[in-house]
Amino acid sequence: MARLSKRLGYRFTEQKLLLQALTHRSAKGLHNERLEFLGDSILGFIIAEQLYQQFPKESEGELTRMRSSLVRGVTLAQMARDFKLGEHLILGPGEKKSGGHRRDSILEDAVEAIIGAIYLDADIETCKDLVLKWFAPRLAEIQPGITQKDPKTRLQEYLQARKIALPHYEVIDIKGQSHNQEFTVKCTTDINQQAIITKGSSRRKAEQAAAQQVLEMIENDS
Amino acid sequence: MARLSKRLGYRFTEQKLLLQALTHRSAKGLHNERLEFLGDSILGFIIAEQLYQQFPKESEGELTRMRSSLVRGVTLAQMARDFKLGEHLILGPGEKKSGGHRRDSILEDAVEAIIGAIYLDADIETCKDLVLKWFAPRLAEIQPGITQKDPKTRLQEYLQARKIALPHYEVIDIKGQSHNQEFTVKCTTDINQQAIITKGSSRRKAEQAAAQQVLEMIENDS
């Protein structure tokens, strides 16, 4: 626990708040879901204010997009791994056996719960300083406009930058009448071994959905 | 403006922050969208913390439901009307002509922007005290469990309480094979002039979707 405190950069006065934040609902006793509810809202506020100040010229839409990309699950799960949170999670026997301490959703929830716990243990200013420190490298990197691009464009750019062949999209089925059609698209790339199959109300939408899935795969693997 | 300050219970040091919060994007100059982004996150945090403290035994799901019902658009638009915010909104000529100062979405955005503006003008504690004062009657009334009821039940109770005939649901189409069917349901009540048509993967789901639409109509009208 001392090592975790060091990695988090915060020493709890009430140690049991930290324990609760680390306790998944599958375990006995007080678990972290309520703290996660609280922490999620605190995180949203801290990041919103930071982006508001850091980007005085950007539109609401751009700020919203940047915030989503900062507070989304994969980012928080990655942060949890940096903190080696998995080692400290308290899980029920089923979750333990099935590798719950490595699962993204459990890790991200624990990060939010820890934010809630720090707030309760201290105050909003302490919490803000800490969270901004955790996010500092990501805040230093984030730029408006990047996440605006649609999934197909982003996937293409990702592959081009790595000199990987561009994805191949193929319509494999069209169902329904003219103004209510459903397109099924198959997307193959050199990075997803199994073809991705998606549906959409237009060819474009189905293709975008496929590209999005490949991007998520890439993010989850990285 | 002095009257508005009085109704809000807050006097701005920087009057131009209040002016910005009242300025819709359709008007010239600095508008309120960025402040709305900030205010929305502050409101979410303040209400989350309040509910966390006020209901120490409730689950995350219940807290989330209560928060949604407190911070949703209709609630904020109602609050805006209590503040007589419409009189003070700064709108572009088109919005002015089409009655933008009465539109729910414009009113609720302005409330969130005012919250953001107060935070910038003062600090989080001042902002929290004020927002909790505004929400006090609603916080005193809110109970867990109430919003948990499904849309059909809520619609039925709404109509019964007003001695209006119960809604009539009719399946007008079923498409697809046995485990992949799509049901189309028509819902008629004495309060929606046009029948509501919805689809769902089961009869029940299509009916619930229809009831939900009627409830939203009621909320938007009220």
Side-chain angles (χ1 to χ4, degrees):
Chain A
M1 278 308 199
R3 279 175 300 145
L4 178 57
S5 281
K6 211 174 162 187
R7 284 192 290 262
L8 293 173
Y10 182 76
R11 181 178 296 278
F12 277 81
T13 308
E14 288 216 53
Q15 201 69 16
K16 66 176 188 220
L17 276 170
L18 175 57
L19 282 176
Q20 188 185 340
L22 293 168
T23 306
H24 184 252
R25 62 174 297 168
S26 60
K28 275 185 198 140
L30 267 183
H31 59 69
N32 64 8
E33 284 194 343
R34 282 172 46 88
L35 286 174
E36 180 209 334
F37 167 79
L38 183 61
D40 171 73
S41 78
I42 296 170
L43 176 61
F45 161 50
I46 294 174
I47 298 297
E49 193 207 353
Q50 173 62 29
L51 292 172
Y52 182 92
Q53 305 288 3
Q54 188 171 335
F55 297 100
K57 300 283 176 201
E58 293 303 328
S59 71
E60 175 193 22
E62 206 51 72
L63 295 173
T64 302
R65 270 187 290 273
M66 286 191 281
R67 181 172 60 172
S68 306
S69 101
L70 286 171
V71 304
R72 67 185 165 180
V74 276
T75 311
L76 298 182
Q78 187 50 53
M79 202 169 264
R81 292 197 176 90
D82 297 343
F83 293 144
K84 298 194 167 64
L85 224 58
E87 301 173 7
H88 302 279
L89 290 178
I90 301 160
L91 302 170
E95 283 293 349
K96 214 181 223 164
K97 224 184 265 175
S98 66
H101 55 283
R102 287 189 304 270
R103 191 167 310 138
D104 268 19
S105 61
I106 292 182
L107 289 168
E108 69 184 76
D109 290 352
V111 171
E112 292 178 334
I114 288 176
I115 294 171
I118 292 171
Y119 171 70
L120 294 177
D121 196 56
D123 52 46
I124 189 70
E125 288 309 322
T126 308
C127 198
K128 191 191 282 192
D129 290 348
L130 212 56
V131 168
L132 290 179
K133 211 180 284 173
W134 297 350
F135 277 87
R138 288 170 178 91
L139 283 164
E141 262 185 13
I142 201 159
Q143 288 297 331
I146 290 174
T147 50
Q148 249 176 319
K149 289 177 184 167
D150 64 69
K152 275 183 75 178
T153 309
R154 279 188 288 143
L155 178 57
Q156 181 175 330
E157 290 178 354
Y158 177 92
L159 296 172
Q160 279 173 330
R162 283 156 188 80
K163 302 196 191 305
I164 304 174
L166 294 185
H168 179 73
Y169 301 94
E170 187 189 349
V171 176
I172 56 173
D173 192 23
I174 305 178
K175 269 199 197 115
Q177 289 126 0
S178 64
H179 49 275
N180 190 21
Q181 286 185 308
E182 188 186 65
F183 292 77
T184 306
V185 157
K186 187 168 90 171
C187 168
T188 44
T189 76
D190 283 355
I191 49 173
N192 53 311
Q193 308 200 313
Q194 256 194 313
I196 302 257
I197 312 265
T198 49
K199 292 171 194 288
S201 57
S202 71
R203 180 196 180 127
R204 203 188 66 83
K205 283 187 185 158
E207 289 180 356
Q208 295 291 4
Q212 181 60 40
Q213 277 197 25
V214 179
L215 285 168
E216 282 167 12
M217 261 179 35
I218 295 170
E219 277 176 358
N220 286 327
D221 288 350
S222 67
Chain B
M1 278 308 201
R3 279 176 298 147
L4 179 57
S5 280
K6 211 174 162 189
R7 284 193 291 262
L8 293 174
Y10 182 76
R11 182 179 295 277
F12 277 81
T13 307
E14 289 215 51
Q15 201 70 15
K16 64 175 190 218
L17 276 168
L18 175 57
L19 282 176
Q20 188 184 341
L22 292 167
T23 305
H24 184 250
R25 61 174 296 166
S26 60
K28 276 184 198 140
L30 267 183
H31 60 68
N32 64 9
E33 285 194 345
R34 282 171 45 89
L35 286 174
E36 180 209 334
F37 167 79
L38 182 61
D40 170 76
S41 79
I42 296 171
L43 177 62
F45 161 48
I46 294 174
I47 298 297
E49 192 206 353
Q50 174 61 30
L51 292 172
Y52 182 91
Q53 305 288 3
Q54 187 172 334
F55 298 100
K57 299 282 176 201
E58 293 302 328
S59 72
E60 175 194 21
E62 206 51 72
L63 296 173
T64 301
R65 269 188 290 272
M66 287 191 280
R67 182 172 59 168
S68 305
S69 100
L70 286 171
V71 304
R72 69 186 165 177
V74 277
T75 310
L76 298 182
Q78 187 51 54
M79 203 169 263
R81 293 199 175 88
D82 297 344
F83 293 145
K84 299 196 169 56
L85 223 57
E87 302 172 7
H88 303 277
L89 289 178
I90 300 160
L91 303 170
E95 283 293 352
K96 214 180 222 165
K97 224 183 267 176
S98 67
H101 55 284
R102 289 189 303 270
R103 191 167 311 138
D104 269 19
S105 62
I106 291 183
L107 289 168
E108 70 184 76
D109 290 352
V111 171
E112 291 178 335
I114 288 176
I115 293 171
I118 292 172
Y119 171 71
L120 294 177
D121 197 57
D123 52 44
I124 189 70
E125 288 308 323
T126 309
C127 197
K128 192 192 280 189
D129 289 349
L130 212 56
V131 168
L132 290 179
K133 210 180 285 172
W134 298 350
F135 277 86
R138 289 170 176 90
L139 283 164
E141 262 186 11
I142 202 159
Q143 288 297 333
I146 291 177
T147 50
Q148 252 178 317
K149 287 179 185 167
D150 65 69
K152 277 184 73 176
T153 308
R154 279 188 288 142
L155 178 58
Q156 181 173 332
E157 289 178 354
Y158 177 91
L159 297 172
Q160 279 173 333
R162 283 157 189 79
K163 301 199 192 305
I164 305 174
L166 294 185
H168 178 73
Y169 300 94
E170 187 190 346
V171 176
I172 56 174
D173 192 25
I174 305 178
K175 271 200 194 110
Q177 288 127 0
S178 64
H179 50 275
N180 189 22
Q181 285 184 308
E182 187 186 64
F183 291 78
T184 306
V185 158
K186 186 168 89 169
C187 168
T188 43
T189 75
D190 283 354
I191 49 172
N192 53 311
Q193 307 199 314
Q194 258 194 311
I196 302 253
I197 312 264
T198 49
K199 293 170 191 289
S201 58
S202 72
R203 180 196 179 124
R204 203 187 68 84
K205 282 186 186 161
E207 288 180 356
Q208 294 291 3
Q212 180 61 39
Q213 278 199 23
V214 179
L215 285 168
E216 283 168 12
M217 261 179 35
I218 296 171
E219 277 176 0
N220 287 328
D221 288 349
S222 66

